[in-house]
Amino acid sequence: MTISTSSTTLPELPLTCLSTAEFQTTSNAFKGKNTVIDFWTTKCTRCPSALDNLNSLAKRPEYSNVKFTSIVLDECDGARNIIEQNDKPRWNNINHFYMDREYKETAKSVLGFHQVPFYVVLNENGEIVQKGSKKDIDFEAIPGIIRPPKEEEEEEEERKEEIFEKESTQSVEAVTVQMERVFCLDDLDF
């Protein structure tokens, strides 16, 4: 297989879908949809927690136009055991794939990672728009996130400003009343 290694796109690598055992390539698996990919291994102690977080994001309505995917890089059977604990699928909002070890080295080299979890964010054209560890990824800037219409955002800002003004006015009035009381007591002759 000839491997495409363009720095703006994910390398063309073979994958196995863990739910169907179907063989695919990275371009076929991810093209046409904004995608967050989590590369992980079964020996990584931080990876299950990272997948928990991705699964939570995938449930949120604003991410309904984003595909969440994991690619395990070491043990296919080990990954299946972790994903299907207690006979019920774990991380059921994430699509899971396996990449053979020989292609893992190509992915690491082309994408520039040395530890997992490692994330790659693709736009709907399959172009890499973000990559790195959790601290490098802005999950609020993933292409395809559904944002509330501007009118709703503006109304929310106006509502917050009104609350702030009301609270500020009440605080000023309370201070004024306190000052008036002090003033009145000082005016009395004892």
Side-chain angles (χ1 to χ4, degrees), residues 90-179:
R90 188 173 180 190
W91 310 307
N92 58 343
N93 296 296
I94 300 174
N95 300 298
H96 301 281
F97 292 90
Y98 167 74
M99 180 180 290
D100 285 326
R101 290 176 189 207
E102 64 185 279
Y103 297 109
K104 169 183 86 167
E105 295 306 319
T106 301
K108 286 172 55 178
S109 173
V110 172
L111 296 171
F113 69 94
H114 305 288
Q115 62 183 8
V116 290
F118 183 83
Y119 302 95
V120 175
V121 179
L122 306 173
N123 65 17
E124 60 189 9
N125 298 320
E127 299 165 329
I128 297 172
V129 294
Q130 295 186 63
K131 66 180 180 176
S133 65
K134 181 180 179 180
K135 66 179 174 49
D136 300 320
I137 302 299
D138 182 354
F139 288 96
E140 297 299 318
I142 294 172
I145 291 180
I146 300 170
R147 305 222 184 271
K150 287 286 185 197
E151 291 175 8
E152 288 180 26
E153 288 180 33
E154 290 169 1
E155 288 174 7
E156 179 66 17
E157 281 301 313
E158 288 175 8
R159 188 181 69 73
K160 286 179 183 177
E161 286 177 24
E162 288 173 7
I163 290 171
F164 177 77
E165 287 176 21
K166 183 178 179 182
E167 289 174 352
S168 297
T169 302
Q170 288 174 346
S171 295
V172 168
E173 290 173 355
V175 168
T176 303
V177 167
Q178 288 297 331
M179 290 177 65

Side-chain angles (χ1 to χ4, degrees), residues 2 10 12 17 20 25 29 41 52 83 87 113 123 129 164 170:
T2 304
L10 197 62
E12 185 70 24
C17 178
T20 65
T25 61
T41 66
D52 287 339
I83 292 168
D87 295 327
F113 69 94
N123 65 17
V129 294
F164 177 77
Q170 288 174 346

